[in-house]
Structures are given as C-alpha cells and as structure tokens.
Amino acid sequence: MASNQKVLMKGNEALAEAAIQAGCHHFFGYPITPQTEVAAYMSKRMPKIGGTYLQAESEVAAINMVLGAASAGVRAMTSSSSPGISLKSEGISYIAGSDLPCLIINVQRGGPGLGGIQPSQSDYWQATRAPGHGDLHILVFAPSTIQEMVDMVFDAFENADRYRMPAMILADGMLGQMMEPVVFPEKKVVTFDKESWATNGHKNQRPHNIVNSLYLQATELERKVKERFERYEVIKAKEARAEEYLVDDAELVVVAYGATSRIARSAINSARAKGVKVGLIRPQTLWPYPSAVIAKAAQTAKAFLTVEMSMGQMVDDVRLAVNGKAPVSFFGHTGGVIPTPAEVLSEIEKLTGGDR
Amino acid sequence: MLENLKRILVIVGHYGSGKTNLSVNLALHMKSMGKPVVLVDLDIVNPYFRSADFAGLMQQHGIELVSPTYARTNLDIPALTGRLDAEIETDKTLIIDVGGDDAGAAALGRYSAAIRDAGGCDMLYVVNGYRYLTRTAEDAAEILGEIQRVSRLSVTGVVNNSNLSNATTPQDIAATDRFAQETAKTYGVPMLFTAVDERIAAETGVLLENGTVFPVRIFVKKPWEE
C-alpha cells in the first residue's frame, strides 16, 4: 500500500524498530521521558519476534544486563535519557573495559540533576569525554533526521561489533518525539564471528572464554588500555563522519549537530537568500570527531559559529580543530529551550556584518 | 458531516495518528459554526506535541483550553484537572484530545460514566495507514478494540488521517482509502471523513471513493519549520 514502503514514525519508535531489524533481540531498559517510547515499542514488538524485552529495576541493573547479554555474543541494547545515562556510566565503563559491543541510546533532556524533560544537547561532554570512569572512548553517533536515526542504528551495531566497544546514539528529545517519514533499509545485517571471545558455552569443545575488566597487575592493565587506544587511533582515522552544506565558498561556517543542525540549516538558507556566504558542517559522529573536515574549512573560512542546545560543549572540539586559524563563536540555549531559526540568522548576520 | 455529531467529541487513536492536529482543527471549525467550544488536552502520555501547546491560538479564537495540571511544565506528573468534570455537565461543545493507544485512553475511562450521564459522545477513531504498527485494517482494528476496552466508551466513527508529514501526496492518501473503510467496517461504524492538508484537499477529494474531505491546517510543526 505505502509508496516506496515509506512509513511515518516517531524518532523513538524508529530507533527501536531499526535495532530489531539490525538483529538486536535483547533490550533492557527503564522508562524515562523523553525516550519512554523506545521501551514501550520494544515491549510490544520483542515478544512477537521471540526476543527479550526486560524492564529492569533500575538503569544500573539494565546496563549490567546489557553487559551480560553482550558477553554471550548477542546484539544487546539499552536506552535512556540524560539522568539515566549518568546512572549507567559505571556499567558503560565495565563494558568498554571488557571489550564488549553494545548500543546505548541517549535521548537527551535538560540537566544537570533531574533537570527538565525538554530537548537538550548538554550531554556532549559526557558522551565524548567521560561516559564512564577510566581511559576509554565509545563510538558516538549524532543523527539529525528520523531516517538517519534508523540508518545509524545499523551502523552503530556494526561498528560496535567490528571494534568490540560500546556505541551510543546521542539524540535529543526533539528527535525522539517528532515524526517523519522513513524507509527501512533492505541492507543485509553484517554479522561478526564472536566465538573467540563470547561466553556462550564451550560445550567441552574449546577452551573457555573469559569476559573481564579487572586486571590487578598494573603492567597488564596498561597493556590492555594501550591496545585499546591503538584501536581508537584506527577508528579516528577511518570512522569520523560529517556532512558539509554550502561550505566551499562560505566565509562563515556554522557547526551544529542533531536537531540543532536543522535549525541552523534553516537559518543558513535564509541568510543565503540575502546573499550572505555561510555554510554548515554537521558532525555525524561526535567520537571520533570529524576534526579534519573542520580543519580543512578553516583554511578558507573567516569565522566559525557553533550552535548547540547547551552552554557550549562541542565548541571545544571545534576550537581544537580550527586551531586558532579563525575566531570560533558560540550561540545556544540550554535547559530545554530550543533556539529558533530567526535567532541563529541574527547571530549569522552579526558575525558577517550583515546588520551594518 | 460534522453537524450531526454529539456535543462531546472524543478523539482517540494510535500514537502519532494525528489526533492533536485534528483536534485543534475541529475546535476551530466548531467555533466558526458559532458554538461555545472547549478543547480538552487529556494526554497523560506525550511530553511534547500536544493540544496544550496551542493555548495562544485557542485564546485568540475564544476557545477555552483544559489540560492536565502540569502539561508543558517540567514536572512529569500526569495529574488530570477537576475542570473537565464541570465542563462535561455544561452544554458547550467539547473536543477531547486523548493520548495515544490504550495507555492514553486509560485516562478517558475515568470520565466514561460522566460522559454517558451527560448524553454520551461521539468517539472518533483516527487512523494513519502510514504508521508502522497500523498499516493494515486488522492492526488498526486491534488497537481500536484496546482503546474501547480501557476507555469504557464505544467508537462511533473512523477518521482517515493518513499522511507522511510534509511529504504527503494526494495519491498517498487515496491509497489508504480502502484501509480506512475496512477498519470502520470491522467495528460496524461509519467512515466519517478524510482529514487532508488544506493545500492538497481539492486534488485529494476527487481521488477518494468516500469523497468527504475535511481540509485541515497543519498546526503541529517542528522548530525549523515556518
């Protein structure tokens, strides 16, 4: 009936359905606004496909169930919003320290503390700098449309398996709650051989595998961490992604991710209509960060503007990538207040002298 | 098509079927017919994109708005207001925008006896054939059954609100005509009308077997849309 199999989905539902289609049959979660529909959707669909949906007694329990399921070699995931992700951070560190793949979804809301329930991007630092204690990184994907949320769920599971590490989809309440048409890709799910490490029963046929993050010998722990950081270097070289929009001749480059990038794009279109040379770099991965794309733009652009739903977090990474070649300004709102295209346009005009 | 409906109009449906946009349009339509109108946001599930978002628009048109006590605040507490009980007993036209699925309709159950005592209601079941979990008449009818069970009220008509957001074409809507009719037939209720974006209403009307089109304006928008 539907043309091109196009369907209308809420971001949260699309994340859940995409995960199922990407071969994730084990979901462990705990409800929190504005991501509850992920869990609600899973609770309806998982029993119908013979999968596991479990509402844990807490976020801490849910992430540790993910650790257990991932140890057995299955695609496992959990989902939450900002305060819940803080609770999961210990488990995320253990999963990273055990070299296990999994998917964690953060549909960000305003913080700190219990904060609010409106959209936010104030967990950028948490996701890219300290998703848990210790020397570690996780893969961080930043979708800006519902279609991209679907596509990135597939990519996140695949790269989590490939590099044996946790992946996070860093969304926000707006993306989670809004609706857009999507098409589920017919791409084949890429699977990985996990027999060399998965603790799924050796049946006396092979030596037993051990999943562990405890190394009491300092030198052994250092070796493990260094090994992991060598892998991180490969990922930084191969997996950073960004979309460029009207950057080639841009004098001002706006850098924004997620829902905010769509507000920025709308403002950029209005500015271009007035003859202002402005473009957009939209990071699609936040770790690894697409620093090279920004550094390249810094060779020609006269200035940069970062727009975020926070007090300014990603702007640090933009400044590191620009490396002093041009001034980097920040505009944003926090606490659940969404910047408007008109506000961003006025900021663009201020920086390009359009209001003279 | 709307003249013969009861004064209490309850809008139910699957999550994301478009109940809020339809409710806002119905409220404005009823008001334009000279009726005193109250728009009731009874959604205890959805944090954003709800009737309470349109307080300004309603006020501008002289339409009263009743919403859960903490709607649109940062307090995640689905507390219903006592004002709805009072409004049910008046002779005003009530448009009640209920939360999605049976989870949302549970809040309606608490008012079912009062609504029956006040002369009953027309309960419109809104369907969108492009929603992932309600693409067949069978699936849509299953959710309808769950909503009836928890709300303790009966659906009296189906509204086809099938759309793909901004990407909707008249052909997309026409392709869902039969699905909506079948959903209505399963429960022996009439298919009342097809709600269509006013910008494509005329082109869509000629493609439908059941030709009644209710043109709607799109009020529920994303922050980057004008």
Side-chain angles (χ1 to χ4, degrees):
Chain A
M1 178 197 69
S3 57
N4 309 325
Q5 299 292 322
K6 220 184 252 179
V7 289
L8 188 67
M9 290 193 96
K10 205 171 203 184
N12 285 335
E13 299 171 332
L15 287 166
E17 180 59 34
I20 290 171
Q21 293 195 18
C24 171
H25 292 179
H26 297 84
F27 177 89
F28 310 94
Y30 191 81
I32 179 171
T33 304
Q35 70 76 50
T36 298
E37 292 84 0
V38 178
Y41 190 92
M42 287 297 195
S43 75
K44 280 202 168 134
R45 286 273 288 143
M46 280 298 192
K48 290 185 180 169
I49 59 158
T52 302
Y53 162 81
L54 203 150
Q55 180 173 325
E57 65 270 35
S58 72
E59 286 88 346
V60 178
I63 191 70
N64 283 293
M65 290 171 186
V66 170
L67 193 161
S71 301
V74 300
R75 282 195 168 167
M77 73 180 278
T78 187
S79 172
S80 193
S81 177
S82 309
I85 298 294
S86 293
L87 285 165
K88 291 182 195 293
S89 63
E90 181 199 42
I92 294 171
S93 173
Y94 277 60
I95 294 171
S98 306
D99 293 315
L100 292 172
C102 71
L103 177 63
I104 301 140
I105 291 182
N106 182 1
V107 183
Q108 296 171 89
R109 58 187 254 180
L114 213 42
I117 61 172
Q118 298 297 320
S120 168
Q121 297 179 315
S122 52
D123 301 347
Y124 180 93
W125 281 335
Q126 183 189 44
T128 61
R129 300 296 194 276
H133 63 276
D135 276 323
L136 71 93
H137 285 294
I138 62 173
L139 301 161
V140 184
F141 291 84
S144 74
T145 65
I146 310 287
Q147 184 65 55
E148 203 175 29
M149 285 169 116
V150 167
D151 298 339
M152 282 183 173
V153 164
F154 284 81
D155 298 341
F157 270 118
E158 192 178 316
N159 271 353
D161 276 352
R162 176 170 292 121
Y163 298 109
R164 285 182 62 187
M165 63 191 286
M168 175 180 277
I169 302 243
L170 192 66
D172 61 68
M174 181 51 60
L175 290 171
Q177 292 295 323
M178 73 181 202
M179 296 182 69
E180 267 180 344
V182 293
V183 178
F184 283 94
E186 282 173 27
K187 63 178 164 189
K188 206 166 167 285
V189 173
V190 182
T191 52
F192 294 79
D193 183 10
K194 301 176 177 177
E195 285 308 305
S196 65
W197 57 265
T199 53
N200 54 359
H202 55 71
K203 301 181 185 71
N204 289 323
Q205 301 293 312
R206 57 162 173 80
H208 68 273
N209 291 333
I210 298 172
V211 168
N212 174 44
S213 69
L214 176 69
Y215 296 91
L216 291 175
Q217 288 293 335
T219 49
E220 201 192 344
L221 178 57
E222 183 182 50
R223 189 179 57 76
K224 271 277 165 196
V225 173
K226 283 192 164 170
E227 204 177 86
R228 216 167 277 133
F229 270 70
E230 279 167 25
R231 217 182 318 151
Y232 293 162
E233 285 306 313
V234 174
I235 296 166
K236 280 198 225 162
K238 285 171 72 171
E239 306 292 350
R241 275 160 54 180
E243 184 197 3
E244 292 172 81
Y245 178 64
L246 307 176
V247 171
D248 285 348
D249 67 337
E251 290 174 6
L252 174 69
V253 172
V254 179
V255 187
Y257 72 97
T260 309
S261 72
R262 300 181 68 168
I263 293 160
R265 187 184 297 249
S266 180
I268 287 164
N269 288 338
S270 306
R272 281 273 173 181
K274 294 178 174 186
V276 180
K277 286 186 176 170
V278 54
L280 173 74
I281 292 177
R282 178 175 74 83
Q284 292 164 297
T285 55
L286 302 179
W287 195 91
Y289 196 71
S291 307
V293 176
I294 292 171
K296 189 174 141 257
Q299 290 171 5
T300 50
K302 290 185 185 135
F304 286 78
L305 168 67
T306 306
V307 184
E308 301 173 54
M309 287 191 281
S310 75
M311 290 304 286
Q313 300 192 5
M314 183 180 73
V315 66
D316 291 353
D317 282 332
V318 177
R319 288 199 174 111
L320 283 169
V322 169
N323 201 16
K325 292 205 168 59
V328 179
S329 321
F330 171 77
F331 176 76
H333 276 296
T334 193
V337 179
I338 303 168
T340 66
E343 282 178 318
V344 178
L345 175 62
S346 126
E347 209 61 27
I348 289 170
E349 290 182 328
K350 220 190 297 174
L351 291 166
T352 53
D355 60 345
R356 276 181 298 196
Chain B
M1 67 191 142
L2 300 170
E3 295 75 18
N4 303 323
L5 295 173
K6 294 201 166 117
R7 62 162 267 267
I8 301 180
L9 212 48
V10 179
I11 315 300
V12 295
H14 179 42
Y15 283 123
S17 55
K19 298 174 293 298
T20 293
N21 201 64
L22 180 68
S23 297
V24 171
N25 275 278
L26 284 171
L28 292 169
H29 180 83
M30 294 299 188
K31 184 69 189 180
S32 74
M33 286 162 62
K35 296 178 178 174
V37 178
V38 184
L39 175 63
V40 182
D41 178 340
L42 200 69
D43 196 333
I44 55 160
V45 178
N46 233 17
Y48 325 155
F49 299 118
R50 50 187 306 153
S51 276
D53 293 347
F54 303 97
L57 181 72
M58 294 298 108
Q59 196 182 11
Q60 201 186 318
H61 285 85
I63 296 167
E64 291 177 61
L65 177 72
V66 173
S67 54
T69 313
Y70 300 106
R72 302 201 76 235
T73 73
N74 263 336
L75 212 46
D76 210 356
I77 295 176
L80 296 168
T81 158
R83 230 183 103 195
L84 181 52
D85 296 277
E87 297 291 1
I88 287 170
E89 290 172 13
T90 63
D91 55 4
K92 295 178 214 168
T93 295
L94 262 55
I95 313 285
I96 307 181
D97 178 15
V98 182
D101 285 1
D102 48 339
L108 183 60
R110 179 229 172 282
Y111 298 98
S112 58
I115 289 172
R116 273 195 296 273
D117 289 348
C121 65
D122 266 306
M123 186 150 92
L124 310 190
Y125 181 59
V126 181
V127 294
N128 179 352
Y130 292 102
R131 292 285 288 130
Y132 196 75
L133 295 182
T134 59
R135 283 176 295 174
T136 66
E138 200 185 357
D139 289 337
E142 187 185 326
I143 290 177
L144 188 159
E146 289 166 1
I147 289 172
Q148 291 197 134
R149 185 174 49 79
V150 302
S151 68
R152 287 167 269 151
L153 292 166
S154 297
V155 167
T156 59
V158 166
V159 172
N160 185 8
N161 191 47
S162 294
N163 72 86
L164 280 164
S165 191
N166 289 342
T168 317
T169 66
Q171 289 71 27
D172 288 333
I173 300 172
T176 64
D177 199 24
R178 185 152 300 161
F179 147 82
Q181 308 242 31
E182 276 171 26
T183 306
K185 212 174 354 168
T186 309
Y187 274 87
V189 295
M191 153 72 192
L192 289 178
F193 58 86
T194 302
V196 183
D197 183 338
E198 57 186 6
R199 293 166 294 183
I200 56 167
E203 297 156 74
T204 306
V206 297
L207 300 176
L208 300 180
E209 265 176 61
N210 176 349
T212 324
V213 162
F214 178 58
V216 294
R217 182 169 286 188
I218 309 302
F219 290 107
V220 179
K221 288 184 178 173
K222 298 166 189 102
W224 48 87
E225 292 171 349
E226 281 310 311

